[in-house]
Amino acid sequence: MHKTIDYYFAPQSPWTYLGHTRFAEIAAAAGATVRVRPIDMGSVFPVSGGLPLGKRAPQRQAYRLVEMARFSRYLGLPMNTKPKFFPVAGDDAARIIIAVDINDGTAAAMRMCSAVFAAVWVQERNIGDPNVLEALVVECGLPAKRSEQSQSQAVQERYEAYTQEAIDIQVFGAPSYVIDGEIFWGQDRLDFVERALRQ
């Protein structure tokens, strides 16, 4: 049976970066439809008990770095665990991804995701800078005007709707993959995503 996966993430999330390529491959192999859903974790955390990185206990912050390096090695993905432009607001990048999704479709939006994630975690680029985002759009072979379109009211409303949707279904972290109402939180749950798509 054909499956749909709602893909909730924050553009600046390291775990979303680490899982993105594998997730895309799993979804494609299963013939599943992906619905790209960038969300504002700054709105999700207060209602879900989450804390922004700077407010977490030191031992949690330290272990996060260990896990990021561990998964980077395991997955064979390059990663700067302490990138130059992080923490960084993900709102403008989220809106760019939504604008691409609206105008160019899911495959283009997934490519845009790849570019944004790599910009933060590999290339030391600032996704909070509109000029960087416009450059990423062009590098993905998309019209530069997507940058301007991302500032539209329609895109903002969709961003807010995706965030509220995530809150309503009890998503609390990024990335979260939702299949038939079941949440799979974290790129380390992709084995379970793959199994769910086979059922």
Side-chain angles (χ1 to χ4, degrees), residues 49-65:
L51 290 174
L53 180 61
K55 293 186 178 179
R56 295 176 198 166
Q59 56 269 52
R60 288 179 179 268
Q61 293 191 41
Y63 188 71
R64 169 184 170 277
L65 294 173

Side-chain angles (χ1 to χ4, degrees), residues 7 9-23 68 72 75-80 113-123 174-175 177 187:
Y7 180 28
F9 61 88
Q12 69 274 44
S13 160
W15 311 111
T16 305
Y17 161 67
L18 286 167
H20 183 72
T21 299
R22 186 176 171 212
F23 167 63
M68 285 162 59
S72 172
L75 296 169
L77 290 173
M79 186 178 207
N80 298 318
C113 287
S114 294
V116 167
F117 304 156
V120 180
W121 297 104
V122 182
Q123 299 164 0
Y177 318 97
Q187 58 86 28

Side-chain angles (χ1 to χ4, degrees), residues 2 5 20-34 110 197:
H2 184 78
I5 312 165
H20 183 72
T21 299
R22 186 176 171 212
F23 167 63
E25 290 169 353
I26 288 169
T33 296
V34 175
M110 291 290 278
L197 292 173

Side-chain angles (χ1 to χ4, degrees), residues 28-29 37 41 52 60-61 89 101 103 124 129 133 161 171 175 184:
R37 299 282 194 263
M41 292 307 299
R60 288 179 179 268
Q61 293 191 41
D101 192 31
N103 291 283
E124 303 279 34
D129 181 340
L133 291 173
V171 163
F184 300 83

Side-chain angles (χ1 to χ4, degrees), residues 142-163:
L142 299 165
K145 66 182 177 182
R146 294 291 175 264
S147 185
E148 182 182 343
Q149 291 167 337
S150 74
Q151 299 303 309
S152 72
Q153 185 62 28
V155 167
Q156 178 61 27
E157 287 175 0
R158 191 169 291 202
Y159 183 36
E160 292 172 5
Y162 289 162
T163 301

